[in-house]
Amino acid sequence: MDTPTVKAVIALRIRIKDPYGYPKICESQVPAKPDPLTIYRTAEDEYYSPDGERMSLHMSDGTLASMIEEHGKYAECLCYGEIAKNLGHEMRIKRLTTGAESTEWQSLAELYRFYKDLADDCQARMASDDGRDSGLVGQSREPRICGGWPL
């Protein structure tokens, strides 16, 4: 497969909702009047919100490009698991520094569950697509050999 382009990386980043909640990513500096629904990519791994704040990403552009190159159409599904792992590490750090009842920890826990559920759903879909799990339930009979004696 050819080396993924920036457009392919951006398309995957939007599909995996990282950064979450912004439907567009534009390759440019943040303009004087930014679009509130757009993230601005100023350089590799440098994404800024419309307010000019740097976005924290769960996966780098290089990681996304290598996943696209290696796994093709399954890259999106594999990203969900990787994001869940990264959120799990953040949750552990947040718990140690602020305690389990903090609102930041709870929001991280909700995001973790969201991405973990997506990863689990994708794994099931990938197994079905590959023919490892067709989703069909079948019945079979116990084989009888030599006059009907069960094995």
Side-chain angles (χ1 to χ4, degrees):
M1 185 173 188
D2 295 331
T3 305
T5 63
V6 172
K7 287 185 179 185
V9 169
I10 286 175
L12 179 58
R13 193 175 290 289
I14 289 172
R15 283 200 312 276
I16 62 175
K17 295 182 170 69
D18 176 24
Y20 189 76
Y22 293 91
K24 290 187 288 184
I25 297 176
C26 176
E27 277 191 278
S28 75
Q29 297 298 320
V30 181
K33 290 187 178 183
D35 180 2
L37 299 176
T38 300
I39 291 294
Y40 297 91
R41 181 184 190 269
T42 59
E44 186 171 351
D45 296 331
E46 288 187 22
Y47 291 81
Y48 289 88
S49 73
D51 299 328
E53 295 176 15
R54 186 156 183 186
M55 302 298 294
S56 132
L57 303 175
H58 298 296
M59 299 178 74
S60 70
D61 285 0
T63 302
L64 292 180
S66 65
M67 290 179 91
I68 293 169
E69 190 171 340
E70 187 174 342
H71 302 289
K73 67 179 184 176
Y74 297 120
E76 179 180 348
C77 285
L78 296 170
C79 286
Y80 294 133
E82 291 299 315
I83 291 172
K85 283 181 201 173
N86 292 337
L87 287 168
H89 295 306
E90 286 182 41
M91 286 167 57
R92 201 171 318 136
I93 292 167
K94 191 59 71 176
R95 176 177 273 179
L96 289 173
T97 57
T98 63
E101 297 302 316
S102 73
T103 55
E104 290 144 347
W105 187 88
Q106 289 174 353
S107 66
L108 280 173
E110 286 174 15
L111 264 179
Y112 171 79
R113 281 191 295 273
F114 173 76
Y115 282 108
K116 181 75 172 91
D117 290 345
L118 282 174
D120 293 344
D121 181 49
C122 271
Q123 291 297 331
R125 249 187 319 151
M126 283 170 50
S128 177
D129 288 351
D130 285 349
R132 290 181 278 142
D133 178 19
S134 64
L136 300 176
V137 177
Q139 294 181 345
S140 62
R141 285 191 235 159
E142 183 177 3
R144 295 182 182 264
I145 301 174
C146 298
W149 298 98
L151 291 176

